[in-house]
Amino acid sequence: MNKPERLRAADFAYISIREGLSAGRWPPGSHLRETELAAELKISRTPIREALRKLASEQLVQFEPHLGARVPGWSHQDMEEIFALRVELESFAAGQAALNAKPAQVDELRSLATAIEKAAFGGDAPDNVKISELNNRFHRLIVLASGNRRLNSLVATIIDIPLVVRTFARFDKTAMARSVGHHFDLVEAIAGGNADWAVAVMRAHIHAGRQVMLGTDAGELLGRRH
Amino acid sequence: MNKPERLRAADFAYISIREGLSAGRWPPGSHLRETELAAELKISRTPIREALRKLASEQLVQFEPHLGARVPGWSHQDMEEIFALRVELESFAAGQAALNAKPAQVDELRSLATAIEKAAFGGDAPDNVKISELNNRFHRLIVLASGNRRLNSLVATIIDIPLVVRTFARFDKTAMARSVGHHFDLVEAIAGGNADWAVAVMRAHIHAGRQVMLGTDAGELLGRRH
DNA sequence: TGGTTCTATGATGTATACAACGCCACGTTC
DNA sequence: GAACGTGGCGTTGTATACATCATAGAACCA
């Protein structure tokens, strides 16, 4: 792996380790040893440490004093918590995006939605890796278009984790079709400046994703009154 | 059976620098030099760096490559963004707390609310520092009682920042009285398991705080200069 | 034999030396 | 005089040596 010239070693390490985590390279519970990573990336332990601490602040690895970094496993409860937060934060972001998004951002959202549709239904088999990547960009762009800069760093943790767990392998054809439909609904709501619509679609969209991931069992969470 | 729990130098540095930030020791725009901090705390630059990177991940300082850490100033827009996020996240937390809080936590919330009332109206002059600290614990405990562990790390950034800016100096007697009232409303809603009520009170509570801090017009800034 | 202590080992935590880079002042050139 | 290049200086970025801690397993004792 070649390291680009202008990148700091610590950033290079961060990107590399994060990619490894996304690719599921280390099973949950693995011990990420600084020395090993340093040898592999051909840099010293110092930037490795910095990268691991940053990943820990995003909860992508877990730290214990003198024990170092471990790859966490995602329990059912973890995923429930993450989806609950995504429902709140991303729906808020969608509503704000409807009020604040610039035309260029709306255009980009539309083309991303189209690209996701193509990756899902254009060829013979859906390209799940590409769908994940495009979907990620779509959701991140909505957060960006919200205009709330701090929201960006908050969702950095929670948007990417379902990617790690390879969400889209679980989508069947009809679930994927509806998900694609939500994306176009979102584009239309945001383009039209209809915040309430955007909020509602995003809430529904993420609940649907949670359903595919986790099913109905143990599903009385989320503070819905009855 | 309690372990001695020796503090790591990096954690010591983190706590120290964070307290300095809370105390307004460095004006916005200040350059936090690693060497200076290391000399002052009598440790080496390595744990200082770790502490600064952690503070940067919480947006309490800003980093630029090869330029180091700077103390950010809080613009009006920053505060608007933070309050908008608090409205969403803390109201969600309150609703979840109504469903999940343990009796001991409810008791502690009640005693904190009482203590805040006493600090505000018990003596001759309100003790703003104590109020801030108790208020902080109250809000953090609600987040904790929500049962969503990830929510904790998310709000770590945004709950503490208004503390830095010394919110409560701006509360007059009637605003403080209403704020104290909100706290008891919250305790009652959570104790009764009424999530909808808890959500509504918390939303209102934070909107009220925003009003005191920022007012209705986008006029005034709250930095420390001039 | 079972349990405890001790020691070896390898990890993380910290200190420090060195390299790379940005800023600024000075000087040169046009 | 202004624009631009250049070198010194101080800072951050990285490498590496050393200190400290946790754990496994041998050694030892009851």
Short mmCIF file of all heavy atoms in Angstrom, two decimals, chain B residues 98-158:
data_model
loop_
_atom_site.label_atom_id
_atom_site.label_comp_id
_atom_site.label_asym_id
_atom_site.label_seq_id
_atom_site.Cartn_x
_atom_site.Cartn_y
_atom_site.Cartn_z
N ALA B 98 -37.67 8.16 30.62
CA ALA B 98 -38.99 7.89 31.20
C ALA B 98 -39.33 6.41 31.10
O ALA B 98 -40.04 5.86 31.96
CB ALA B 98 -40.05 8.72 30.49
N LEU B 99 -38.80 5.76 30.07
CA LEU B 99 -39.09 4.33 29.89
C LEU B 99 -38.11 3.44 30.64
O LEU B 99 -38.48 2.34 31.06
CB LEU B 99 -39.05 3.99 28.40
CG LEU B 99 -40.00 4.77 27.49
CD1 LEU B 99 -39.79 4.37 26.04
CD2 LEU B 99 -41.44 4.56 27.91
N ASN B 100 -36.90 3.90 30.81
CA ASN B 100 -35.83 3.01 31.27
C ASN B 100 -35.17 3.37 32.58
O ASN B 100 -34.36 2.59 33.09
CB ASN B 100 -34.73 2.95 30.19
CG ASN B 100 -35.25 2.47 28.86
OD1 ASN B 100 -36.15 1.62 28.80
ND2 ASN B 100 -34.73 3.03 27.79
N ALA B 101 -35.44 4.54 33.12
CA ALA B 101 -34.71 4.97 34.32
C ALA B 101 -34.99 4.04 35.50
O ALA B 101 -36.11 3.57 35.68
CB ALA B 101 -35.09 6.40 34.68
N LYS B 102 -33.94 3.80 36.27
CA LYS B 102 -34.10 2.99 37.48
C LYS B 102 -34.53 3.90 38.62
O LYS B 102 -34.22 5.10 38.63
CB LYS B 102 -32.77 2.31 37.82
CG LYS B 102 -32.34 1.32 36.77
CD LYS B 102 -30.88 0.93 36.97
CE LYS B 102 -30.37 0.12 35.78
NZ LYS B 102 -28.91 0.06 35.74
N PRO B 103 -35.21 3.31 39.61
CA PRO B 103 -35.68 4.13 40.74
C PRO B 103 -34.58 4.95 41.40
O PRO B 103 -34.80 6.11 41.76
CB PRO B 103 -36.24 3.08 41.70
CG PRO B 103 -36.64 1.95 40.83
CD PRO B 103 -35.65 1.91 39.71
N ALA B 104 -33.41 4.36 41.55
CA ALA B 104 -32.32 5.09 42.19
C ALA B 104 -31.95 6.32 41.37
O ALA B 104 -31.63 7.38 41.93
CB ALA B 104 -31.09 4.18 42.34
N GLN B 105 -32.01 6.18 40.06
CA GLN B 105 -31.68 7.33 39.21
C GLN B 105 -32.73 8.42 39.34
O GLN B 105 -32.43 9.61 39.37
CB GLN B 105 -31.54 6.87 37.75
CG GLN B 105 -30.33 5.97 37.52
CD GLN B 105 -30.30 5.39 36.12
OE1 GLN B 105 -31.33 5.02 35.56
NE2 GLN B 105 -29.09 5.30 35.55
N VAL B 106 -33.99 7.99 39.41
CA VAL B 106 -35.06 8.98 39.60
C VAL B 106 -34.86 9.73 40.91
O VAL B 106 -35.01 10.97 40.96
CB VAL B 106 -36.44 8.29 39.56
CG1 VAL B 106 -37.54 9.30 39.85
CG2 VAL B 106 -36.67 7.62 38.22
N ASP B 107 -34.51 8.99 41.94
CA ASP B 107 -34.27 9.64 43.24
C ASP B 107 -33.14 10.66 43.13
O ASP B 107 -33.24 11.77 43.67
CB ASP B 107 -33.91 8.58 44.30
CG ASP B 107 -35.11 7.70 44.63
OD1 ASP B 107 -36.25 8.12 44.33
OD2 ASP B 107 -34.91 6.60 45.18
N GLU B 108 -32.09 10.26 42.44
CA GLU B 108 -30.96 11.17 42.32
C GLU B 108 -31.33 12.41 41.51
O GLU B 108 -30.91 13.53 41.84
CB GLU B 108 -29.77 10.44 41.68
CG GLU B 108 -28.47 11.23 41.82
CD GLU B 108 -27.27 10.47 41.25
OE1 GLU B 108 -27.41 9.27 40.97
OE2 GLU B 108 -26.21 11.10 41.08
N LEU B 109 -32.13 12.21 40.47
CA LEU B 109 -32.60 13.36 39.70
C LEU B 109 -33.38 14.32 40.59
O LEU B 109 -33.22 15.53 40.53
CB LEU B 109 -33.47 12.89 38.54
CG LEU B 109 -32.74 12.31 37.31
CD1 LEU B 109 -33.76 11.77 36.31
CD2 LEU B 109 -31.87 13.37 36.67
N ARG B 110 -34.24 13.72 41.43
CA ARG B 110 -35.06 14.57 42.28
C ARG B 110 -34.20 15.37 43.26
O ARG B 110 -34.41 16.58 43.46
CB ARG B 110 -36.06 13.71 43.06
CG ARG B 110 -37.31 14.48 43.51
CD ARG B 110 -38.18 13.65 44.46
NE ARG B 110 -38.28 12.25 44.07
CZ ARG B 110 -39.21 11.77 43.24
NH1 ARG B 110 -40.10 12.57 42.71
NH2 ARG B 110 -39.23 10.48 42.95
N SER B 111 -33.20 14.72 43.81
CA SER B 111 -32.37 15.45 44.78
C SER B 111 -31.50 16.49 44.07
O SER B 111 -31.23 17.56 44.62
CB SER B 111 -31.50 14.47 45.57
OG SER B 111 -30.59 13.83 44.72
N LEU B 112 -31.09 16.20 42.84
CA LEU B 112 -30.35 17.20 42.09
C LEU B 112 -31.22 18.41 41.78
O LEU B 112 -30.79 19.57 41.93
CB LEU B 112 -29.82 16.61 40.78
CG LEU B 112 -28.53 15.79 40.89
CD1 LEU B 112 -28.24 15.07 39.58
CD2 LEU B 112 -27.36 16.67 41.28
N ALA B 113 -32.46 18.16 41.39
CA ALA B 113 -33.38 19.27 41.11
C ALA B 113 -33.57 20.13 42.36
O ALA B 113 -33.58 21.37 42.30
CB ALA B 113 -34.71 18.73 40.62
N THR B 114 -33.70 19.45 43.51
CA THR B 114 -33.84 20.18 44.77
C THR B 114 -32.58 20.98 45.08
O THR B 114 -32.65 22.14 45.52
CB THR B 114 -34.12 19.19 45.91
OG1 THR B 114 -35.26 18.38 45.55
CG2 THR B 114 -34.42 19.93 47.20
N ALA B 115 -31.44 20.37 44.84
CA ALA B 115 -30.18 21.05 45.13
C ALA B 115 -30.01 22.28 44.24
O ALA B 115 -29.51 23.33 44.69
CB ALA B 115 -29.01 20.09 44.94
N ILE B 116 -30.42 22.16 42.98
CA ILE B 116 -30.33 23.31 42.08
C ILE B 116 -31.23 24.44 42.59
O ILE B 116 -30.84 25.61 42.62
CB ILE B 116 -30.71 22.90 40.65
CG1 ILE B 116 -29.66 21.95 40.07
CG2 ILE B 116 -30.87 24.13 39.76
CD1 ILE B 116 -30.07 21.31 38.76
N GLU B 117 -32.42 24.06 43.02
CA GLU B 117 -33.34 25.07 43.56
C GLU B 117 -32.72 25.78 44.76
O GLU B 117 -32.79 27.01 44.88
CB GLU B 117 -34.66 24.40 43.95
CG GLU B 117 -35.73 25.37 44.45
CD GLU B 117 -36.99 24.64 44.86
OE1 GLU B 117 -36.87 23.53 45.44
OE2 GLU B 117 -38.09 25.15 44.61
N LYS B 118 -32.10 24.99 45.60
CA LYS B 118 -31.48 25.57 46.80
C LYS B 118 -30.33 26.50 46.44
O LYS B 118 -30.18 27.58 47.01
CB LYS B 118 -31.01 24.45 47.73
CG LYS B 118 -30.59 24.92 49.10
CD LYS B 118 -30.48 23.73 50.07
CE LYS B 118 -31.85 23.09 50.32
NZ LYS B 118 -31.78 21.92 51.21
N ALA B 119 -29.51 26.06 45.47
CA ALA B 119 -28.38 26.90 45.07
C ALA B 119 -28.85 28.19 44.43
O ALA B 119 -28.16 29.23 44.49
CB ALA B 119 -27.48 26.13 44.09
N ALA B 120 -30.02 28.14 43.81
CA ALA B 120 -30.52 29.34 43.12
C ALA B 120 -31.25 30.28 44.08
O ALA B 120 -31.14 31.50 43.96
CB ALA B 120 -31.45 28.93 41.98
N PHE B 121 -32.01 29.72 45.03
CA PHE B 121 -32.88 30.55 45.86
C PHE B 121 -32.69 30.36 47.35
O PHE B 121 -33.37 31.00 48.14
CB PHE B 121 -34.35 30.27 45.50
CG PHE B 121 -34.67 30.61 44.07
CD1 PHE B 121 -34.91 29.60 43.15
CD2 PHE B 121 -34.72 31.93 43.67
CE1 PHE B 121 -35.19 29.92 41.82
CE2 PHE B 121 -35.02 32.25 42.34
CZ PHE B 121 -35.26 31.24 41.42
N GLY B 122 -31.78 29.47 47.73
CA GLY B 122 -31.61 29.20 49.15
C GLY B 122 -30.90 30.32 49.89
O GLY B 122 -31.35 30.79 50.93
N GLY B 123 -29.79 30.78 49.33
CA GLY B 123 -29.03 31.83 50.00
C GLY B 123 -29.44 33.21 49.56
O GLY B 123 -30.54 33.40 49.03
N ASP B 124 -28.55 34.15 49.75
CA ASP B 124 -28.86 35.52 49.34
C ASP B 124 -28.62 35.69 47.84
O ASP B 124 -29.47 36.19 47.12
CB ASP B 124 -28.02 36.51 50.12
CG ASP B 124 -27.08 35.82 51.09
OD1 ASP B 124 -26.33 34.94 50.62
OD2 ASP B 124 -27.10 36.14 52.28
N ALA B 125 -27.45 35.25 47.37
CA ALA B 125 -27.13 35.38 45.95
C ALA B 125 -26.99 33.99 45.33
O ALA B 125 -26.45 33.08 45.97
CB ALA B 125 -25.83 36.16 45.77
N PRO B 126 -27.48 33.82 44.13
CA PRO B 126 -27.34 32.52 43.48
C PRO B 126 -25.88 32.19 43.19
O PRO B 126 -25.12 33.06 42.74
CB PRO B 126 -28.14 32.68 42.18
CG PRO B 126 -28.21 34.15 41.94
CD PRO B 126 -28.20 34.79 43.30
N ASP B 127 -25.51 30.97 43.46
CA ASP B 127 -24.14 30.51 43.21
C ASP B 127 -24.08 29.92 41.81
O ASP B 127 -24.33 28.74 41.61
CB ASP B 127 -23.76 29.47 44.27
CG ASP B 127 -22.32 29.02 44.11
OD1 ASP B 127 -21.71 29.32 43.07
OD2 ASP B 127 -21.81 28.38 45.04
N ASN B 128 -23.71 30.76 40.84
CA ASN B 128 -23.81 30.33 39.44
C ASN B 128 -22.88 29.17 39.11
O ASN B 128 -23.23 28.32 38.29
CB ASN B 128 -23.52 31.51 38.50
CG ASN B 128 -24.70 32.44 38.42
OD1 ASN B 128 -25.85 32.01 38.52
ND2 ASN B 128 -24.43 33.72 38.24
N VAL B 129 -21.73 29.15 39.72
CA VAL B 129 -20.81 28.05 39.44
C VAL B 129 -21.41 26.73 39.90
O VAL B 129 -21.42 25.74 39.19
CB VAL B 129 -19.46 28.29 40.13
CG1 VAL B 129 -18.56 27.08 39.98
CG2 VAL B 129 -18.79 29.53 39.56
N LYS B 130 -21.96 26.76 41.11
CA LYS B 130 -22.55 25.53 41.64
C LYS B 130 -23.78 25.13 40.82
O LYS B 130 -23.99 23.95 40.54
CB LYS B 130 -22.94 25.74 43.11
CG LYS B 130 -23.34 24.45 43.81
CD LYS B 130 -23.49 24.67 45.32
CE LYS B 130 -23.74 23.33 46.02
NZ LYS B 130 -23.89 23.53 47.49
N ILE B 131 -24.57 26.12 40.44
CA ILE B 131 -25.74 25.82 39.63
C ILE B 131 -25.33 25.15 38.33
O ILE B 131 -25.91 24.14 37.91
CB ILE B 131 -26.55 27.10 39.34
CG1 ILE B 131 -27.17 27.63 40.63
CG2 ILE B 131 -27.63 26.83 38.31
CD1 ILE B 131 -27.83 28.99 40.46
N SER B 132 -24.31 25.70 37.70
CA SER B 132 -23.84 25.12 36.44
C SER B 132 -23.44 23.66 36.64
O SER B 132 -23.80 22.79 35.84
CB SER B 132 -22.64 25.90 35.91
OG SER B 132 -23.06 27.13 35.36
N GLU B 133 -22.70 23.42 37.69
CA GLU B 133 -22.19 22.08 37.91
C GLU B 133 -23.34 21.11 38.20
O GLU B 133 -23.39 20.00 37.65
CB GLU B 133 -21.19 22.11 39.07
CG GLU B 133 -20.33 20.86 39.18
CD GLU B 133 -20.73 20.01 40.34
OE1 GLU B 133 -21.13 20.58 41.38
OE2 GLU B 133 -20.67 18.77 40.22
N LEU B 134 -24.27 21.53 39.04
CA LEU B 134 -25.41 20.65 39.35
C LEU B 134 -26.29 20.44 38.13
O LEU B 134 -26.74 19.33 37.85
CB LEU B 134 -26.23 21.26 40.49
CG LEU B 134 -25.57 21.25 41.87
CD1 LEU B 134 -26.39 22.10 42.85
CD2 LEU B 134 -25.45 19.83 42.39
N ASN B 135 -26.53 21.53 37.41
CA ASN B 135 -27.35 21.43 36.20
C ASN B 135 -26.73 20.45 35.22
O ASN B 135 -27.41 19.64 34.59
CB ASN B 135 -27.47 22.82 35.57
CG ASN B 135 -28.35 22.79 34.34
OD1 ASN B 135 -29.57 22.66 34.42
ND2 ASN B 135 -27.73 22.91 33.17
N ASN B 136 -25.41 20.54 35.10
CA ASN B 136 -24.70 19.63 34.22
C ASN B 136 -24.92 18.18 34.63
O ASN B 136 -25.21 17.32 33.79
CB ASN B 136 -23.22 19.98 34.28
CG ASN B 136 -22.49 19.56 33.03
OD1 ASN B 136 -21.96 18.46 32.97
ND2 ASN B 136 -22.50 20.40 32.01
N ARG B 137 -24.79 17.93 35.91
CA ARG B 137 -24.99 16.55 36.39
C ARG B 137 -26.42 16.10 36.15
O ARG B 137 -26.67 14.93 35.80
CB ARG B 137 -24.64 16.47 37.88
CG ARG B 137 -23.14 16.41 38.12
CD ARG B 137 -22.81 16.56 39.59
NE ARG B 137 -23.45 15.58 40.45
CZ ARG B 137 -23.51 15.69 41.78
NH1 ARG B 137 -22.99 16.74 42.38
NH2 ARG B 137 -24.09 14.75 42.49
N PHE B 138 -27.36 16.99 36.33
CA PHE B 138 -28.76 16.66 36.09
C PHE B 138 -28.98 16.22 34.64
O PHE B 138 -29.54 15.14 34.38
CB PHE B 138 -29.63 17.88 36.43
CG PHE B 138 -31.11 17.65 36.32
CD1 PHE B 138 -31.82 17.09 37.37
CD2 PHE B 138 -31.79 18.01 35.17
CE1 PHE B 138 -33.19 16.88 37.27
CE2 PHE B 138 -33.16 17.80 35.06
CZ PHE B 138 -33.86 17.23 36.11
N HIS B 139 -28.50 17.03 33.72
CA HIS B 139 -28.71 16.71 32.31
C HIS B 139 -27.96 15.44 31.92
O HIS B 139 -28.46 14.61 31.15
CB HIS B 139 -28.27 17.88 31.43
CG HIS B 139 -29.28 18.98 31.40
ND1 HIS B 139 -30.16 19.15 30.36
CD2 HIS B 139 -29.59 19.96 32.28
CE1 HIS B 139 -30.95 20.19 30.59
NE2 HIS B 139 -30.61 20.71 31.76
N ARG B 140 -26.76 15.29 32.44
CA ARG B 140 -25.99 14.10 32.11
C ARG B 140 -26.66 12.84 32.67
O ARG B 140 -26.64 11.78 32.04
CB ARG B 140 -24.58 14.20 32.68
CG ARG B 140 -23.66 15.08 31.86
CD ARG B 140 -22.23 14.95 32.36
NE ARG B 140 -21.29 15.47 31.41
CZ ARG B 140 -20.95 14.84 30.29
NH1 ARG B 140 -21.47 13.66 30.03
NH2 ARG B 140 -20.10 15.38 29.46
N LEU B 141 -27.23 12.95 33.83
CA LEU B 141 -27.87 11.79 34.44
C LEU B 141 -29.09 11.35 33.63
O LEU B 141 -29.37 10.16 33.50
CB LEU B 141 -28.27 12.11 35.89
CG LEU B 141 -28.92 10.97 36.67
CD1 LEU B 141 -28.06 9.71 36.61
CD2 LEU B 141 -29.14 11.39 38.13
N ILE B 142 -29.80 12.31 33.08
CA ILE B 142 -30.93 11.94 32.23
C ILE B 142 -30.44 11.16 31.01
O ILE B 142 -31.02 10.14 30.62
CB ILE B 142 -31.72 13.19 31.81
CG1 ILE B 142 -32.50 13.72 33.02
CG2 ILE B 142 -32.66 12.88 30.65
CD1 ILE B 142 -33.26 15.00 32.75
N VAL B 143 -29.35 11.64 30.44
CA VAL B 143 -28.79 10.92 29.29
C VAL B 143 -28.37 9.51 29.71
O VAL B 143 -28.62 8.54 28.99
CB VAL B 143 -27.59 11.70 28.72
CG1 VAL B 143 -26.88 10.87 27.66
CG2 VAL B 143 -28.06 13.01 28.13
N LEU B 144 -27.75 9.43 30.86
CA LEU B 144 -27.33 8.12 31.36
C LEU B 144 -28.54 7.21 31.58
O LEU B 144 -28.53 6.03 31.22
CB LEU B 144 -26.55 8.30 32.66
CG LEU B 144 -25.83 7.06 33.20
CD1 LEU B 144 -24.71 6.65 32.25
CD2 LEU B 144 -25.26 7.34 34.59
N ALA B 145 -29.59 7.78 32.17
CA ALA B 145 -30.78 6.99 32.50
C ALA B 145 -31.54 6.57 31.26
O ALA B 145 -32.42 5.69 31.33
CB ALA B 145 -31.69 7.79 33.43
N SER B 146 -31.22 7.19 30.12
CA SER B 146 -31.91 6.79 28.89
C SER B 146 -31.59 5.35 28.53
O SER B 146 -32.36 4.69 27.84
CB SER B 146 -31.49 7.69 27.73
OG SER B 146 -30.17 7.37 27.31
N GLY B 147 -30.45 4.87 29.00
CA GLY B 147 -30.07 3.50 28.70
C GLY B 147 -29.35 3.35 27.38
O GLY B 147 -28.85 2.28 27.07
N ASN B 148 -29.29 4.43 26.61
CA ASN B 148 -28.57 4.39 25.33
C ASN B 148 -27.13 4.83 25.57
O ASN B 148 -26.83 6.01 25.70
CB ASN B 148 -29.26 5.29 24.31
CG ASN B 148 -28.73 5.09 22.90
OD1 ASN B 148 -27.53 4.96 22.70
ND2 ASN B 148 -29.63 5.03 21.93
N ARG B 149 -26.24 3.84 25.58
CA ARG B 149 -24.88 4.13 26.00
C ARG B 149 -24.15 5.02 25.02
O ARG B 149 -23.28 5.80 25.39
CB ARG B 149 -24.12 2.81 26.19
CG ARG B 149 -24.68 1.96 27.33
CD ARG B 149 -24.20 0.54 27.23
NE ARG B 149 -24.60 -0.08 25.96
CZ ARG B 149 -24.34 -1.33 25.64
NH1 ARG B 149 -23.69 -2.09 26.47
NH2 ARG B 149 -24.73 -1.81 24.47
N ARG B 150 -24.50 4.86 23.74
CA ARG B 150 -23.81 5.68 22.75
C ARG B 150 -24.22 7.14 22.82
O ARG B 150 -23.49 8.03 22.43
CB ARG B 150 -24.09 5.15 21.36
CG ARG B 150 -22.88 4.47 20.82
CD ARG B 150 -23.18 3.54 19.71
NE ARG B 150 -22.12 2.55 19.65
CZ ARG B 150 -22.07 1.51 20.43
NH1 ARG B 150 -23.00 1.33 21.34
NH2 ARG B 150 -21.07 0.66 20.33
N LEU B 151 -25.42 7.37 23.28
CA LEU B 151 -25.89 8.74 23.41
C LEU B 151 -24.96 9.55 24.32
O LEU B 151 -24.74 10.73 24.12
CB LEU B 151 -27.31 8.72 23.98
CG LEU B 151 -28.14 10.00 23.95
CD1 LEU B 151 -28.14 10.61 22.58
CD2 LEU B 151 -29.56 9.69 24.40
N ASN B 152 -24.43 8.88 25.31
CA ASN B 152 -23.54 9.53 26.26
C ASN B 152 -22.35 10.19 25.58
O ASN B 152 -22.07 11.37 25.80
CB ASN B 152 -23.02 8.48 27.25
CG ASN B 152 -23.46 8.78 28.64
OD1 ASN B 152 -23.15 9.82 29.17
ND2 ASN B 152 -24.21 7.86 29.23
N SER B 153 -21.67 9.44 24.75
CA SER B 153 -20.49 10.01 24.11
C SER B 153 -20.88 11.08 23.11
O SER B 153 -20.12 12.02 22.87
CB SER B 153 -19.67 8.92 23.43
OG SER B 153 -20.45 8.26 22.46
N LEU B 154 -22.07 10.95 22.52
CA LEU B 154 -22.49 11.96 21.55
C LEU B 154 -22.72 13.31 22.22
O LEU B 154 -22.34 14.35 21.69
CB LEU B 154 -23.77 11.53 20.84
CG LEU B 154 -23.63 10.49 19.74
CD1 LEU B 154 -24.96 10.33 19.01
CD2 LEU B 154 -22.55 10.89 18.75
N VAL B 155 -23.36 13.31 23.35
CA VAL B 155 -23.70 14.59 23.97
C VAL B 155 -22.57 15.16 24.79
O VAL B 155 -22.66 16.29 25.26
CB VAL B 155 -24.95 14.48 24.85
CG1 VAL B 155 -26.15 14.12 24.03
CG2 VAL B 155 -24.73 13.53 25.98
N ALA B 156 -21.50 14.38 24.95
CA ALA B 156 -20.38 14.86 25.76
C ALA B 156 -19.94 16.23 25.27
O ALA B 156 -19.68 17.15 26.06
CB ALA B 156 -19.22 13.88 25.69
N THR B 157 -19.87 16.38 23.96
CA THR B 157 -19.45 17.66 23.40
C THR B 157 -20.43 18.77 23.73
O THR B 157 -20.06 19.80 24.27
CB THR B 157 -19.38 17.56 21.87
OG1 THR B 157 -18.84 16.32 21.52
CG2 THR B 157 -18.55 18.69 21.32
N ILE B 158 -21.68 18.54 23.40
CA ILE B 158 -22.60 19.67 23.29
C ILE B 158 -23.21 20.08 24.62
O ILE B 158 -23.65 21.21 24.75
CB ILE B 158 -23.70 19.36 22.27
CG1 ILE B 158 -24.44 18.09 22.64
CG2 ILE B 158 -23.12 19.27 20.89
CD1 ILE B 158 -25.54 17.76 21.66
#
